[in-house]
Amino acid sequence: MEIELKPLVAALAIALATISQVTKAADDEAKLSEITVTASPIYANRIDSSDSTSLLADTPGVSFYTNGGASSLPVIHGMNDERVKVLVDGMSITSACANHMNPAMSYITSTNVSSTAVIAGLTPVSMGGDSIAGTISVASASPVFAGKSEEVHTEGNISAIYRSISSGSTLSVAASVANSSLSLGYVGSQDKASSYKDGNGNLVRDTLYETRNNQLTLGIKGESSLIVIKAGEQSIPYQGFINQYMDMVGNDANNLNVDYKANYTWGKLDARLYWQDTKHTMGFFTSEKPGAMPMNTHGKDLGYDLHAELPLSQQNTLKLGNEFHSFKLDDWWPALAGSMMMGPNTYENINNGKRDRFSLFAEIESKLDLQWTSLLGIRTDRVTTDTGTVQSYGCGMMMCGGDDAAAAVFNAANRAHTDNNIDLTALARYDANQSSTYEFGFSRKTRSPNLYERYTWGVDDMAMAMIGWFGDANGYVGNLNLKPEIANTLSATARWNDSAHKEWELAVTPYYTKVKDYIGVNKIGMSMMTGTSNLQFINHDAKIYGLDLTTKTALWDNSYGSGQVKSVLGWTHGTRTDTGESLYHIMPLNARVTLEQTLNEWTNAAELQLVGNKSNVDSVRNEPKTSGYTLLNLRTAYQMKNVRLDMGVTNLFNKYYSLPLGGVDIADWEAGGSVGLPGPVAGAGRSINAGITVKF
Ligand SMILES: [Cu+2]
């Protein structure tokens, strides 16, 4: 499987690229939309973490917010989480949790990811919508079919991975049976980890988790069509969230995903229908962060995508699309028996919430001459949101709190909203010669508020502390008047390389984004319960600018195999326009430099990870500053015919450091009696990681 996956990964990458790019035989030509496809690191990085976001660690412009051990939140160019469009096997899955404990990428474990594609910044409208930062697309393996010479094809693999720092383990199994037109596949995985230790050998509390994922794939291949049906099931019995007040004590989700691709005389059609049902429970399960409070959510995603690609002429290809995505959400907190604060009624946080998106787009890619290519797109997303009436815990043994009055105001208010959003993308590429290419363009992208931003209503300290996916210990309340945020981005990429594309490569991408009505926060008070801030979502303007830089240099090609060094550097600056205050969680200057050697069956790598001081912080959210650090990671892999061995050490020198996007360590703060404000979250100490994959 390992060996056969490589062409599959390449095929998927090309398929993903053609989804937005079309026409040209997808050879070595750089794609207009700056698609970055990471194929090889999938095996290299996956022993480091079961979190599928770790597979994108090398991608320029991409970073991650710490969340649970299996569910980091992605950031592209300083814009986080739902500002990024994330597609898992083509599906849009919405976080069904006030803390975004179950974001889209938490539904696929790193061993099950077969391909990843990232479009940072200027996203073609065919790959965008309801997002402002860019698009991340991850996919599990496509169905395999029997070749011409075989009647029945069977294949499979078993992987086992161990990570010493958390006594973490991943077990995964994949098996397929197929003839030339019908394919049935199964993939299952279990990931388990205890809380990890930091570089000083101290336990980093409440970072333990266990996840289980199962997926069945049915493929039906016709003359010029392919139907792929994927049915997935996830159960997470527990997952600690170090930077949240609550933990996950259950996440049970089922999904169904039907994709139909066909070639017609007029062009290509890609139609997808998908559904997911998520039952999510929060509470407490570990003495590392004790507590008592039940919270439940039930989310349902249902959507379809219809994408058609019409070659108009040799030069022009038209892409048309219609999408629909519906999300329904209930979020309620049952009364806690005997509690003075939490009862006697059930607290209705979001009752019968819905958010529907109906989208249309048109995009045309034109090959103007041998050197110039252009891409123009327009898209509309009509987003309607609404929610039913709510109720507070009621007046228990305590006096009625502010939430009772707040519920009455909320229930009397007009809550239905319709946003008519318009996105535009205009891109051009100039292939100057064999060794230089320039891309540049403009995009206008819009994201409508999510249900929690618009419809959370509780103003008491306890209720507010439960809302927020920022890991900052602050409390949040929604805002019925929130408008969509609109990002206008100018960006360019210059690529230079040797004319044979073998010796060296240098690419630089500067970007500038002005976000109108950026959904940020205003401070409305201080929590008497925790001493942290109480914040309300509010629109204010923001600007973000920065630079991505990537290099690749071949070093040797001789009896020591081949060697190369590659590097990725990212720098981002983001501020609120009116106050000049830094936006929250902007990744400080950072770089990765990797020396790689390939020698026969061996692949070896030494990776230096450099992160600068974080001194620009959001004081409104009490964001802690963090110091810079350097980590050294080593990896080696040995590929035999049917067996692949991976070994690695992350943080070789066992360096103690704080995660710049880790939020604050609520677990440790509570263990120390919640004195003052919580400090930053420590990163993991040295871990020895090993994995084996056996193909059959
Ligand atoms: Cu949750």
Side-chain angles (χ1 to χ4, degrees), residues 83 85 121-125 127-135 421-425 442-447 485-489 514-515:
R83 295 189 168 108
K85 187 176 178 102
L122 304 175
T123 317
V125 294
M127 288 287 281
D130 204 19
S131 57
I132 58 173
T135 302
N421 302 332
I422 292 178
D423 285 8
L424 301 166
T425 300
F442 162 81
S443 73
R444 173 199 153 105
K445 294 161 62 57
T446 316
R447 179 183 76 94
E485 48 187 15
I486 301 169
N488 289 297
T489 301
K514 247 185 148 154
V515 190

Side-chain angles (χ1 to χ4, degrees), residues 13-334:
I14 290 165
L16 279 163
T18 31
I19 282 171
S20 72
Q21 286 320 315
V22 227
T23 61
K24 303 161 284 178
D27 290 323
D28 52 355
E29 207 165 356
K31 294 291 174 277
L32 241 183
S33 53
E34 300 175 52
I35 284 189
T36 308
V37 177
T38 52
S40 58
I42 280 179
Y43 301 113
N45 290 17
R46 68 180 204 178
I47 62 163
D48 294 354
S49 171
S50 64
D51 187 338
S52 55
T53 60
S54 67
L55 302 175
L56 306 172
D58 289 338
T59 313
V62 179
S63 47
F64 305 96
Y65 278 26
T66 302
N67 202 13
S71 45
S72 300
L73 300 173
V75 188
I76 296 180
H77 291 167
M79 293 177 275
N80 69 308
D81 191 23
E82 288 179 345
R83 295 189 168 108
V84 179
K85 187 176 178 102
V86 178
L87 298 169
V88 176
D89 280 325
M91 296 186 287
S92 291
I93 301 170
T94 318
S95 289
C97 166
N99 303 144
H100 288 189
M101 290 177 171
N102 44 18
M105 282 179 78
S106 68
Y107 290 101
I108 186 163
T109 196
S110 63
T111 40
N112 296 355
V113 174
S114 158
S115 74
T116 64
V118 176
I119 310 171
L122 304 175
T123 317
V125 294
S126 57
M127 288 287 281
D130 204 19
S131 57
I132 58 173
T135 302
I136 294 175
S137 176
V138 295
S140 59
S142 287
V144 289
F145 292 95
K148 287 208 172 76
S149 56
E150 51 184 359
E151 207 152 280
V152 177
H153 175 86
T154 58
E155 66 170 54
N157 69 73
I158 298 180
S159 283
I161 297 169
Y162 176 76
R163 304 172 184 98
S164 73
I165 195 70
S166 59
S167 306
S169 62
T170 297
L171 289 170
S172 83
V173 184
S176 296
V177 54
N179 63 21
S180 59
S181 60
L182 211 60
S183 172
L184 186 65
Y186 164 78
V187 55
S189 62
Q190 182 182 17
D191 296 295
K192 210 171 165 174
S194 306
S195 290
Y196 66 79
K197 293 195 178 70
D198 65 23
N200 293 335
N202 295 321
L203 187 76
V204 180
R205 288 184 178 85
D206 203 28
T207 54
L208 66 173
Y209 63 92
E210 181 177 340
T211 70
R212 299 175 204 139
N213 290 289
N214 292 292
Q215 189 182 57
L216 281 172
T217 300
L218 175 67
I220 304 161
K221 194 164 76 171
E223 277 287 288
S224 55
S225 67
L226 176 66
I227 299 172
V228 179
I229 302 171
K230 289 183 175 176
E233 187 254 338
Q234 178 187 70
S235 95
I236 298 183
Y238 60 89
Q239 185 175 188
F241 284 75
I242 184 172
N243 58 19
Q244 291 292 348
Y245 291 101
M246 303 291 291
D247 286 329
M248 181 190 277
V249 293
N251 202 74
D252 294 287
N254 294 293
N255 61 51
L256 191 64
N257 183 5
V258 182
D259 184 38
Y260 172 74
K261 280 191 179 69
N263 291 319
Y264 295 95
T265 46
W266 52 264
K268 290 177 189 166
L269 177 72
D270 186 354
R272 182 184 304 280
L273 180 67
Y274 60 93
W275 163 86
Q276 170 152 318
D277 184 285
T278 305
K279 291 192 176 74
H280 173 68
T281 320
M282 282 185 282
F284 299 88
F285 67 92
T286 169
S287 57
E288 293 176 21
K289 194 177 83 185
M293 177 179 180
M295 294 173 79
N296 298 309
T297 59
H298 185 189
K300 283 180 246 178
D301 287 286
L302 178 66
Y304 71 78
D305 294 343
L306 286 172
H307 292 191
E309 184 186 304
L310 304 100
L312 299 180
S313 64
Q314 281 285 89
Q315 287 79 33
N316 299 307
T317 303
L318 177 67
K319 196 148 195 228
L320 297 173
N322 166 220
E323 298 172 359
F324 175 73
H325 177 229
S326 146
F327 177 59
K328 289 192 168 37
L329 178 72
D330 284 301
D331 182 326
W332 71 101
W333 312 344

